[in-house]
């Protein structure tokens, strides 16, 4: 028998319940009610729930209603800022209104989302140095004006400074360069003010990066939030694994080494003008350039990821690392002598010490010496080479124990939810990754009528995805559908190269056939601007890679065709994937079955989920990978996708698309 509390939660979602009073055309959804009552039971029993809830289930209200009715302190973590903002500005206020409740709600983002007044002051004093262009000088002064008027100091509120402006790192702080209580602006710091509100909140919305920082106490300015909350909700939980991989990695970033030297120049001349700070900076910059160019020459490429264990010529980087180490030691010595001169110099001294430790570590790695490690468990040393930078990473191959330990120490219920957590109905891959093997797992299908609203068309006669002409052939095959549909299409590609080939081909077809078609391509403008244009401009096609596979919500007439070029298996040359695969193979397990297929299914479900976002939406999904039909594993993947009507016949797919062309009510 359900408890009184579970019944109370269910009543909120009844046909004549509180939600019906504030929601137009409200209809109870059984899946939402079941999800909400499962959260209520988890709260009562103190257990962890892993819940997959299909698009349209209404999972936000499902986990918030029981928490608010039980008067619990709730910590909600999301993968990104978009959902954070939606929860804080829209969903939570609407629910509180429906329930007739008051609640102290706070939103907390990472420190890079807030203007740092201290760094802004220094940037304004040194604008000729920190700003690389006249445009960045203009951006700097717009930020100054905004900071003087803003209550929160959130950079997302500035509409006339681009997201990718090079001035942002100069006016925001990191855990490494924040002065904390020693800062002159500590009492009126935007970050600290946001964190003070967070401490007082009954309902706090953060992101996964901050959640992981709280678990690891990696940022000593982060309050230890977890023990204070009665319920932890990890929304967009499918992204937790990738974020954790990056978060728990230890990285030497040559751009940050240069940035350390630049900060020393900015502070050093005010302390001791007799030291040639600019000369020290140039020596470090030259050493970074030498390390980058040497690596480019050895690998004969400027864009690559590689495990150190597979790098045959690693000894050739020892001398460039020694050169960099000597240069940073000179900087460290100059800073150390003056570390008491100001809080900034004290912080610079700490940063120099950390940088030296990392550089020494990597010098020893490339020398083939045994190195001491500060992290536990199986670790992978690997590096990413870019045209103007290199990232040297030490990554744990598993972080399950860290998350498991955090949950056990806190001892309160956790709810992890997303539309994509299971692979073919099996949660094993996900719960193993996050160390929650004992969690209760449940799933609810989307309430949408996928068979009536959508069709899945799989092309049979395209070349295999590894063929050199595959992307060109994909473009030829999908063009008639895009043309017939007058755009209104997403083309989701598994690689940037495929994105470039397909977008160029579509532009060529449109131009040669005299068709007015607006081909929007990832990276040509910001993601927000591309989505704005897609929604507002007629005959639009958006061609993107992984940035657009998830977290994009376009309802109604603007989108009725989604194309996916191929099954998104993890790249076989990804060093972390390779490392985890070897660990599994050593245990006698199949990495293809244990990692590749589950991850491909979850990502493919995300991409397919862009099509039907509302009960009135209709559309066609085209998958251009015939391995779904020809390979044994294709059946597993096929069955995991939404239950669309399905066809392999071109004319059937085209006829369905024509039916979807009329504007939807």
């Amino acid at each position: 028998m359900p408890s009184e509390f579970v019944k109370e939660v269910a009543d909120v979602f009844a046909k004549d319940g509180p939600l019906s009073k504030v929601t137009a055309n409200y209809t109870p959804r059984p899946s939402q009610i079941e999800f909400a009552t499962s959260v209520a039971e988890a709260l009562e029993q103190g257990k962890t729930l892993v819940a997959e809830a299909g698009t349209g289930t209404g999972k936000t209200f499902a986990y918030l209603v029981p928490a608010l009715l039980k008067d619990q302190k709730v910590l909600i973590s999301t993968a990104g800022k978009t959902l954070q903002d939606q929860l804080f500005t829209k969903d939570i206020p609407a629910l509180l209104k429906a329930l007739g409740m008051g609640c102290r709600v706070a939103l907390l983002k990472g420190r890079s989302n807030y203007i740092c007044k201290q760094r802004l002051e220094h940037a304004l004093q040194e604008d000729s140095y920190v700003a690389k262009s006249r445009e960045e000088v203009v951006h700097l002064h717009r930020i100054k004006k905004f900071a003087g008027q803003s209550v929160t100091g959130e950079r997302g509120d500035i509409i006339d400074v681009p997201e990718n402006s090079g001035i942002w790192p100069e006016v925001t702080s990191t855990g490494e360069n924040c002065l904390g209580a020693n800062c002159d602006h500590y009492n009126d710091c935007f970050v600290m003010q946001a964190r003070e509100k967070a401490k007082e909140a009954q309902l706090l919305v953060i992101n996964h990066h901050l959640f992981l920082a709280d678990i690891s106490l990696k940022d000593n300015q982060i309050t230890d939030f977890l023990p204070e909350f009665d319920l932890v909700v990890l929304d967009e939980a499918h992204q937790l694994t990738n974020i954790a991989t990056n978060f728990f990695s230890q990285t030497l970033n040559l751009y940050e080494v240069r940035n350390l030297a630049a900060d020393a120049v900015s502070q050093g001349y005010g302390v001791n003008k007799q030291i040639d700070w600019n000369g020290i900076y140039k020596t470090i910059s030259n050493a970074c350039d030498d390390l980058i160019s040497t690596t480019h020459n050895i690998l004969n490429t400027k864009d690559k990821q590689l495990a150190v264990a597979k790098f045959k010529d690693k000894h050739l980087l020892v001398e460039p690392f020694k050169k960099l180490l000597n240069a940073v030691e000179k900087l460290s010595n100059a800073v150390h002598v003056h570390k008491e001169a100001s809080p900034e110099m004290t912080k610079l001294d700490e940063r120099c010490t950390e940088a030296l430790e990392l550089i020494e570590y990597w010098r020893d790695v490339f020398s083939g010496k045994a190195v001491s490690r500060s992290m536990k468990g199986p670790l992978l040393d690997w590096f990413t080479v870019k045209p103007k930078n290199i990232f040297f990473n030490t990554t744990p191959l598993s972080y399950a124990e860290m998350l498991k330990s955090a949950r056990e120490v806190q001892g309160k219920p956790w709810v992890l939810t997303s539309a994509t957590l299971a692979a073919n109905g099996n949660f094993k891959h996900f719960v193993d990754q996050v160390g929650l093997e004992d969690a209760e797992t449940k799933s609810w299908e989307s309430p949408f009528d996928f068979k009536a609203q959508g069709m899945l068309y799989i092309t049979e006669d395209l070349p295999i995805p590894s063929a050199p002409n595959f992307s060109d052939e994909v473009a030829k095959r999908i063009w008639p559908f895009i043309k017939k549909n007058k755009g209104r299409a997403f083309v989701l590609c598994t690689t940037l190269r495929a994105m470039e080939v397909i977008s160029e081909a579509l532009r060529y077809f449109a131009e040669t056939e005299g068709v007015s078609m607006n081909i929007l391509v990832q990276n040509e403008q910001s993601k927000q601007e591309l989505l704005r244009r897609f929604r507002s401009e007629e005959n639009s096609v958006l061609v993107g890679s992984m940035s657009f596979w998830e977290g994009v919500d376009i309802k109604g007439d603007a989108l009725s065709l989604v194309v996916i070029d191929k099954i998104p298996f993890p790249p076989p040359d990804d060093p972390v994937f390779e490392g985890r695969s070897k660990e599994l193979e050593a245990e006698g397990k199949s990495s293809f079955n244990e990692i590749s297929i589950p991850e491909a299914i979850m990502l493919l479900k995300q991409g397919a989920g862009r099509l039907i976002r509302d009960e009135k939406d209709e559309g066609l999904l085209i998958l251009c990978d015939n391995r779904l039909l020809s390979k044994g594993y294709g059946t597993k993947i096929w069955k995991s996708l939404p239950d669309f009507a399905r066809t392999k016949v071109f004319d059937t797919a085209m006829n369905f698309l024509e039916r979807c062309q009329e504007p939807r009510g």
Side-chain angles (χ1 to χ4, degrees):
M1 287 289 291
S3 68
E4 287 302 314
F5 174 59
V6 170
K7 290 178 184 176
E8 183 185 1
V9 168
D11 287 344
V12 172
F13 298 92
K15 189 173 183 179
D16 58 351
L19 290 183
S20 68
K21 306 295 190 294
V22 294
T23 307
N25 303 314
Y26 178 76
T27 303
R29 294 174 239 177
S31 54
Q32 186 181 40
I33 297 170
E34 289 174 20
F35 187 176
T37 54
S38 294
V39 174
E41 289 168 359
L43 275 169
E44 287 190 316
Q45 298 167 24
K47 62 186 179 184
T48 293
L49 173 67
V50 174
E52 182 179 79
T55 307
T57 303
K59 63 181 185 298
T60 303
F61 283 8
Y63 61 66
L64 282 173
V65 166
L68 291 171
L69 289 183
K70 203 165 178 62
D71 196 23
Q72 301 277 278
K73 285 198 71 174
V74 188
L75 180 69
I76 303 173
S77 179
T78 74
K81 292 179 281 189
T82 302
L83 183 56
Q84 265 192 293
D85 289 333
Q86 179 183 315
L87 284 165
F88 185 71
T89 62
K90 182 181 175 185
D91 294 342
I92 293 171
L95 181 57
L96 289 173
K97 179 181 177 183
L99 296 176
M101 296 178 64
C103 178
R104 292 190 306 278
V105 183
L107 174 68
L108 182 61
K109 298 179 180 178
R111 62 167 73 249
S112 64
N113 291 282
Y114 302 91
I115 294 164
C116 171
K117 294 181 179 180
Q118 182 83 352
R119 288 182 63 78
L120 175 60
E121 280 184 5
H122 284 299
L124 289 164
Q125 292 166 9
E126 302 281 344
D127 66 0
S128 61
Y129 180 77
V130 301
K132 308 297 187 295
S133 65
R134 185 175 297 178
E135 186 179 39
E136 287 185 9
V137 173
V138 172
H139 294 163
L140 177 61
H141 286 274
R142 286 175 180 168
I143 292 169
K144 174 192 175 185
K145 181 179 179 182
F146 172 83
Q149 301 169 340
S150 175
V151 174
T152 64
E154 273 198 60
R155 59 183 273 185
D157 294 338
I158 305 179
I159 58 174
D160 54 359
V161 178
E163 223 179 278
N164 60 352
S165 173
I167 203 64
W168 282 118
E170 308 297 338
V171 297
T172 56
S173 69
T174 66
E176 288 72 33
N177 61 31
C178 174
L179 302 177
N182 293 319
C183 179
D184 293 339
H185 290 281
Y186 183 77
N187 291 327
D188 64 342
C189 169
F190 289 127
V191 173
M192 298 315 299
Q193 288 173 346
R195 290 179 179 173
E196 285 302 313
K197 289 180 182 176
K199 290 179 189 176
E200 300 167 2
Q202 183 182 352
L203 201 165
L204 174 62
V205 183
I206 63 172
N207 58 47
H208 294 343
H209 194 277
L210 284 174
F211 172 76
L212 294 170
D214 192 46
I215 283 176
S216 63
L217 299 179
K218 202 167 181 179
D219 183 341
N220 59 15
Q221 297 296 322
I222 295 260
T223 302
D224 188 11
F225 288 124
L226 276 179
E228 301 298 320
F229 288 89
D230 304 301
L231 172 67
V232 172
V233 178
L234 300 172
D235 205 339
E236 298 180 312
H238 67 281
Q239 290 201 41
L240 182 64
T241 53
N242 287 333
I243 293 171
T245 296
N246 293 326
F247 181 85
F248 289 117
S249 291
Q250 205 170 62
T251 300
L252 172 65
N253 175 348
L254 296 186
Y255 173 83
E256 291 181 357
V257 174
R258 289 189 215 260
N259 196 43
L260 167 63
D263 285 350
V265 172
S266 175
Q267 298 297 323
Y269 277 114
V271 172
N272 186 340
K273 292 184 173 59
Q274 302 305 310
I275 294 176
D276 183 10
W277 297 100
N278 267 322
I280 294 174
Y281 172 84
K282 287 176 183 175
T283 303
I284 290 174
S285 184
N286 289 339
C288 289
D289 288 340
D290 185 36
L291 184 49
I292 292 169
S293 62
T294 301
T295 308
H296 288 168
N297 292 337
I298 296 170
L299 295 173
N300 196 29
T301 181
K302 295 183 178 182
D303 191 0
K304 190 175 181 65
Q305 295 184 127
L306 189 66
V308 171
K310 295 182 70 175
F311 186 30
K312 295 178 182 177
D313 297 313
K314 57 179 176 283
H315 63 282
L316 296 177
L317 292 187
V318 175
E319 285 305 315
F321 260 106
K322 287 180 179 177
K323 181 179 176 182
L324 178 61
L325 183 62
N326 290 336
V328 176
E329 279 179 341
K330 288 180 182 177
L331 174 68
S332 181
N333 291 337
V335 168
H336 188 71
V337 172
H338 302 91
K339 69 174 184 177
E340 305 296 338
S342 68
E344 288 87 354
M345 293 301 286
T346 303
K347 194 69 177 180
L348 279 168
D349 184 55
E350 295 172 6
R351 290 170 63 193
C352 285
T353 300
E354 292 168 5
L356 284 172
E357 288 175 357
L358 279 174
I359 296 168
E360 286 174 347
Y361 173 88
W362 282 97
R363 176 202 61 191
D364 291 345
V365 166
F366 285 105
S367 300
K369 294 181 181 178
V371 290
S372 60
R373 299 177 179 273
S374 58
M375 293 187 278
K376 297 178 181 178
L379 301 173
L380 178 74
D381 290 325
W382 60 287
F383 56 105
T384 301
V385 179
K386 294 293 181 184
K388 296 182 180 179
N389 197 10
I390 305 179
F391 303 83
F392 298 94
N393 312 288
T394 299
T395 299
L397 294 179
S398 173
Y399 40 80
E401 285 302 316
M402 302 178 205
L403 292 170
K404 182 177 182 178
S405 174
R407 184 191 54 154
E408 290 173 351
V409 168
Q410 191 215 8
K412 305 285 178 63
W414 284 18
V415 173
L416 296 87
T417 185
S418 167
T420 53
L421 293 177
N424 210 23
N426 191 328
F427 288 87
K428 183 179 185 306
H429 177 66
F430 178 76
V431 296
D432 284 354
Q433 280 187 311
V434 296
L436 303 178
E437 297 89 342
D438 60 340
E440 181 179 13
T441 58
K442 290 188 177 182
S443 62
W444 293 275
E445 296 292 334
S446 168
F448 301 151
D449 186 353
F450 285 124
K451 263 196 166 63
Q453 293 178 248
M455 177 174 282
L456 168 58
Y457 168 48
I458 297 185
T459 56
E460 283 189 284
D461 54 352
L462 279 168
I464 59 174
S466 58
N469 64 336
F470 176 73
S471 294
D472 289 299
E473 292 300 317
V474 166
K476 288 178 188 175
R477 175 52 56 92
I478 66 176
W479 170 246
F481 291 96
I482 290 172
K483 181 180 175 182
K484 172 65 74 174
N485 204 49
K486 298 179 182 177
R488 301 193 293 172
F490 269 15
V491 181
L492 303 177
C493 305
T494 49
T495 65
L496 291 173
R497 176 61 185 155
M499 179 187 81
E500 292 166 2
V501 171
I502 292 172
S503 61
E504 286 174 11
L506 294 179
R507 281 172 171 162
Y508 172 78
F509 296 148
E511 184 178 349
T512 54
E513 295 184 27
V515 176
S516 175
M517 194 69 67
N518 186 26
I519 311 294
L520 306 170
V521 184
Q522 178 181 321
N523 296 333
E524 291 186 352
Q525 290 178 295
S526 72
K527 182 176 180 179
Q528 290 78 6
E529 178 61 13
L530 288 171
L531 289 172
R532 184 198 66 76
R533 290 185 60 191
F534 183 85
R535 288 186 176 100
S536 63
E537 298 177 10
E538 293 184 354
N539 298 349
S540 288
V541 180
L542 199 158
V543 187
S545 187
M546 290 302 164
S547 294
F548 291 91
W549 281 66
E550 55 185 279
V552 177
D553 190 17
I554 297 187
K555 298 182 177 75
D557 296 337
L559 179 65
S560 56
L561 174 62
V562 171
V563 177
I564 295 176
D565 68 338
K566 57 185 175 182
I567 301 169
F569 286 121
D573 59 348
D574 178 273
V576 177
F577 170 74
E578 280 187 289
R580 287 177 176 154
S581 296
K582 285 180 180 176
E583 288 286 311
L584 280 172
E585 302 289 349
E587 296 172 12
K589 299 176 181 176
S590 165
S591 61
F592 186 71
N593 290 328
E594 297 277 339
I595 303 178
S596 297
I597 290 178
E599 291 194 5
I601 286 174
M602 285 195 282
L603 188 50
L604 194 57
K605 285 165 67 176
Q606 283 288 333
R610 297 315 97 211
L611 184 62
I612 306 297
R613 307 298 300 173
D614 186 88
E615 60 189 11
K616 294 181 180 179
D617 283 355
E618 291 181 323
L620 177 69
L621 171 66
I622 302 177
L623 290 181
C624 303
D625 191 334
N626 55 31
R627 290 176 296 180
L628 284 163
L629 302 173
S630 63
K631 299 293 184 181
Y633 58 77
T635 304
K636 279 186 183 178
I637 298 174
W638 174 278
K639 288 181 177 178
S640 291
L641 292 170
D643 190 24
F644 295 129
R646 304 189 179 203
T647 187
K648 297 178 282 185
V649 180
F650 178 94
D651 288 343
T652 304
M654 186 64 79
N655 291 337
F656 182 85
L657 189 62
E658 288 177 359
R659 197 194 93 186
C660 300
Q661 281 190 326
E662 294 302 317
R664 297 165 235 169

